[in-house]
Amino acid sequence: MGDFDVDWLRLRGPADERARAADLPVLLRAHLAKGPPLKVLDLGCGTGSNLRALAPALGGAQAWLCLDVDAELLDRLADETQAWAQASGFAWDATARRVTGAEPRLDCTLTTRRFDLAPDSAELPIDGIGLVTASALLDLVSETWLTRLVSQCAKARAPILMALTYDGRVAFEPALSGDREVIEAVNRHQRRDKGFGPALGPGANARLAILAAAQGYWVEVRTSDWRIRRSERELQSALIRGWSRAACEEAAASDQAAIAHWEAVRLAAVERGCSRINVGHRDLLAIPSRA
Ligand SMILES: C[S@@+](CC[C@H](N)C(=O)[O-])C[C@H]1O[C@@H](n2cnc3c(N)ncnc32)[C@H](O)[C@@H]1O
């Protein structure tokens, strides 16, 4: 499984959905201008889960421009959104790529564009945008990239809503020896270059809060932790395997056997149905000050 393939995004979907801070879109809605459709820019949209979570919460007329570097994920976005719309009682117009509904009132069009966000030269299509958003993206980006993003958003006076940024906290139940060492190694790995320069990793949300406040934004942060249930064995196993791999890449050769042992014991606990994992995330809303 690649880091961001369709199966992985589907597997994490239910935990993402439960974790999101429900009050931030409500706070945002109160600050949005009534009238023309809200133009939303979704960065690193994947298969569109951010749109599906936010569009009904914001309600009204919206036009989403969804950017991702991965064409395969973008190709899935319309189908995933259609399946969601039908399951949620919305109407889906495949030609116009439009979701409509009466309760909550929603009239939302979506456009996808293959776009590499990483290069310094990447000019974000931010003109006329009324909301810049992303989910599960920020921990990949660098300080330089984030600073540039915030200054572009500030210039456009665009609110920012960033959901589900990993913050480095992981709690296991039952606890095992080795948990702390593995997660510390994972968090070091998180700071490696993920294409945007040295990644902010678990520090990304805190940096965004500081950068946005410095640009005059009013900032609200919530915890949005994954609370992964005993029954969610596939998600737990995928995480444990991924963490073990990352920790091995960070660890000395002499520590590899201990990490492999940790992985085996953790996976056995998952299989027995007695493992729960809490993974720390943050949601952040930044509203520009009124002129
Ligand atoms: C963890 S996934 C999150 C996807 C989606 N926002 C969600 O919440 O399900 C991170 C996304 O960032 C995208 N991404 C990573 N690097 C990127 C880049 N340089 N330019 C554009 N998108 C990128 C990946 O393709 C992937 O879809």
Side-chain angles (χ1 to χ4, degrees):
M1 189 197 291
D3 271 359
F4 306 120
D5 67 13
V6 174
D7 292 339
W8 168 242
L9 296 185
R10 243 189 225 144
L11 190 56
R12 57 176 289 162
D16 280 343
E17 209 177 311
R18 294 196 302 270
R20 281 172 172 269
D23 70 320
L24 291 186
V26 177
L27 281 177
L28 170 62
R29 204 170 51 198
H31 283 266
L32 293 173
K34 308 273 177 289
L38 173 68
K39 289 192 178 173
V40 183
L41 186 63
D42 188 12
L43 309 175
C45 60
T47 57
S49 72
N50 197 29
L51 177 148
R52 294 187 289 278
L54 272 185
L58 295 176
Q62 301 168 37
W64 282 63
L65 175 56
C66 301
L67 309 181
D68 204 287
V69 72
D70 188 327
E72 214 175 298
L73 297 180
L74 289 175
D75 281 348
R76 296 289 316 154
L77 195 147
D79 285 352
E80 298 270 329
T81 304
Q82 173 174 16
W84 160 82
Q86 285 163 352
S88 316
F90 293 114
W92 168 252
D93 176 339
T95 313
R97 292 185 147 201
R98 182 170 174 207
V99 186
T100 50
E103 189 51 57
R105 199 180 76 72
L106 180 63
D107 184 346
C108 174
T109 58
L110 65 95
T111 305
T112 54
R113 190 182 300 171
R114 188 164 185 210
F115 191 96
D116 186 354
L117 294 163
D120 290 346
S121 56
E123 274 303 322
L124 280 186
I126 207 167
D127 252 12
I129 291 294
L131 171 64
V132 175
T133 184
S135 58
L137 176 79
L138 274 201
D139 42 282
L140 306 180
V141 309
S142 64
E143 171 83 22
T144 309
W145 190 91
L146 191 62
T147 304
R148 190 158 164 261
L149 174 71
V150 174
S151 94
Q152 284 177 290
C153 292
K155 213 178 279 170
R157 304 196 51 73
I160 303 169
L161 179 53
M162 297 296 178
L164 299 163
T165 306
Y166 173 64
D167 71 2
R169 293 172 300 119
V170 179
F172 296 94
E173 188 190 309
L176 283 180
S177 73
D179 290 343
R180 188 171 53 81
E181 290 79 0
V182 169
I183 296 306
E184 280 175 4
V186 168
N187 287 343
R188 287 196 301 278
H189 194 278
Q190 285 273 315
R191 292 185 180 270
R192 290 187 178 193
D193 188 338
K194 306 289 192 298
F196 294 81
L200 285 163
N205 193 76
R207 278 309 290 156
L208 174 58
I210 290 167
L211 291 168
Q215 290 278 358
Y217 278 88
W218 167 62
V219 178
E220 289 286 324
V221 176
R222 303 283 182 272
T223 52
S224 51
D225 294 1
W226 279 355
R227 298 182 192 287
I228 308 177
R229 299 167 176 162
R230 293 187 178 92
S231 58
E232 293 176 302
R233 295 182 191 190
E234 201 183 342
L235 177 57
Q236 290 202 32
S237 301
L239 282 170
I240 290 164
R241 291 198 178 95
W243 285 330
S244 173
R245 252 194 324 272
C248 280
E249 285 175 27
E250 284 292 318
S254 55
D255 293 331
Q256 308 279 325
I259 295 169
H261 177 71
W262 175 88
E263 177 183 342
V265 178
R266 278 259 152 253
L267 290 174
V270 172
E271 275 319 300
R272 285 199 307 279
C274 64
S275 167
R276 284 198 298 200
I277 309 179
N278 203 86
V279 185
H281 289 90
R282 305 281 162 133
D283 287 7
L284 181 150
L285 171 65
I287 305 274
S289 56
R290 293 187 202 281

